[in-house]
Amino acid sequence: MTTLFSAGTIGAISVSNRVVMAPLTRARADMEGLPSRYAAQYYAQRASAGLIITEATNISKQARGYAYTPGIYTDAQIVAWREITEEVHRAGGKIVLQLWHTGRIAHSSLHDGKPPVAPSEIQAGDMVFTEDGAARPSMPRALELDEIPSIIDDYVLAARHARAAGFDGVEVHAANAYLLDQFIRDSTNRRTDAYGGSVENRTRLPFEVTKAVADVFGPDRVGVRLSPITRAVGDTPLDSDPVGTYKRMAERLGTLGLAYLHCVEGQTQGDNAATSFDFQSLRRAFGGSYIANNSYDRTLAVEAVATGHADMIAFGRPYIANPDLVERLRAQAPMAAGDEKTFYGGGAAGYVDYPALDGVTAND
Ligand code: 8OZ
């Protein structure tokens, strides 16, 4: 029987257990998009996860929405990420890079005062962080139809860079109301061209991007993250038919032979709502491996893998303060609570100083 602690494979990636470190924005990169100098240590401390998905990483300068988030579009960034993948591999882990374009969840101060780009000219609510603190995302401008191929090209280039940096694969971030999800939802997409209107048209860009990225890495090293029922980020209204729309998205992605589909089963950073939305229908529509995420505790995670609800379970916030989460889950040991003041921004404190169970900071 497969358990949370069984080894296996997800696409072409062999994993030592079914625990995934979910992507976590920690806002410790510099303004050139170089990951924190502590990031190699941070990720290597967490290498006992079956799979690490990195923090969301900007595919281009245009993709940036927030200050202090890393990128994968310059040579220096590739070099910095290579050091991180090497440390994780040395510690026996597997790591994929999450490819991110924020779309309208972005601030013009990151774009020389110019507006960010989005499917349509509709401003997001909520917050992004800028060099001057939290701010409302700026009014975006709608992408021209003839600009869309260059967005796909940016994803392709980012995937090539990820391969050069030694990643085991990539995850396309099509969740949490960022650019690709802005195309999917009819609440943020009012286009009248081939990328708006029908479900077929609204799922076109995420599909084309994923297909293009799969051509770089091989489909079995590419996953996609979706979040059909979250308003975060940007206080974004849901699609008018989340079940139908995301089921079709999952079905289209299923034709590509990908490594996995990864779903945020509820409100991002909120409660688990897997009971109020039929995530298994998305999984069936996709037909491949499934990573479940959002507020799973040990009991839910063990059960979800044992019953075949999910192939792997991604833990986000618990990974902040529990570098040895797998060992703690295995031993049914107590979990440490993270300090919210150091979730975003800063340096080593609250990042690489959470001890493992034995009191020793992992991989020191
Ligand atoms: C928290 C703060 C900033 C960004 C996401 C990339 O929710 C994020 C994010 C989370 O996917």
Side-chain angles (χ1 to χ4, degrees), residues 101-105 117-119 177-189 236:
H101 191 309
T102 60
R104 69 178 196 146
I105 316 278
V117 299
Y178 292 112
L179 181 74
L180 297 178
D181 203 13
Q182 289 157 30
F183 272 86
I184 297 173
R185 298 181 188 206
D186 55 12
S187 60
T188 42
N189 184 342
T236 305

Side-chain angles (χ1 to χ4, degrees), residues 211-225:
K211 188 167 187 294
V213 164
D215 285 342
V216 173
F217 247 102
D220 51 6
R221 291 185 176 274
V222 174
V224 177
R225 195 176 206 218

Side-chain angles (χ1 to χ4, degrees), residues 23-25 55-56 66 69 98 100 129 173 175-176 178 225 232-233 268-269 344:
L24 288 166
T25 289
E55 64 209 271
Y66 301 73
T69 52
Q98 197 192 45
W100 195 28
F129 17 94
H173 192 349
N176 297 348
Y178 292 112
R225 195 176 206 218
V233 182
T268 302
Q269 304 181 358
Y344 304 116

Side-chain angles (χ1 to χ4, degrees), residues 116-324:
V117 299
S120 302
E121 208 180 294
I122 309 169
Q123 192 175 7
D126 209 351
M127 296 289 196
V128 286
F129 17 94
T130 73
E131 284 182 281
D132 300 319
R136 184 175 178 195
S138 309
M139 177 62 92
R141 71 171 177 84
L143 280 162
E144 301 290 341
L145 184 59
D146 66 7
E147 289 179 283
I148 297 220
S150 72
I151 302 267
I152 300 172
D153 289 347
D154 287 343
Y155 275 95
V156 166
L157 201 56
R160 286 201 191 120
H161 290 163
R163 205 178 47 186
F167 283 98
D168 296 292
V170 287
E171 175 174 287
V172 175
H173 192 349
N176 297 348
Y178 292 112
L179 181 74
L180 297 178
D181 203 13
Q182 289 157 30
F183 272 86
I184 297 173
R185 298 181 188 206
D186 55 12
S187 60
T188 42
N189 184 342
R190 306 266 166 78
R191 300 179 74 89
T192 53
D193 59 18
Y195 291 90
S198 64
V199 173
E200 223 47 28
N201 283 355
R202 284 183 280 121
T203 55
R204 189 182 307 281
L205 184 62
F207 177 76
E208 289 180 349
V209 161
T210 307
K211 188 167 187 294
V213 164
D215 285 342
V216 173
F217 247 102
D220 51 6
R221 291 185 176 274
V222 174
V224 177
R225 195 176 206 218
L226 299 176
S227 62
I229 54 166
T230 187
R231 291 182 66 90
V233 182
D235 194 23
T236 305
L238 302 188
D239 185 72
S240 61
D241 175 23
V243 176
T245 299
Y246 288 88
K247 210 169 141 191
R248 181 64 188 136
M249 183 78 256
E251 195 175 65
R252 293 189 80 174
L253 294 171
T255 63
L256 297 173
L258 302 178
Y260 65 82
L261 176 68
H262 177 190
C263 284
V264 183
E265 296 178 338
Q267 283 286 344
T268 302
Q269 304 181 358
D271 294 338
N272 186 287
T275 47
S276 65
F277 181 96
D278 185 10
F279 283 96
Q280 289 298 299
S281 74
L282 294 195
R283 183 191 189 178
R284 281 192 299 274
F286 176 67
S289 295
Y290 180 72
I291 302 179
N293 169 245
N294 223 32
S295 296
Y296 275 80
D297 60 15
R298 184 184 193 281
T299 307
L300 283 172
V302 164
E303 187 187 286
V305 174
T307 59
H309 169 90
D311 298 285
M312 298 183 82
I313 308 293
F315 294 86
R317 284 161 295 170
Y319 253 116
I320 292 178
N322 299 278
D324 56 342

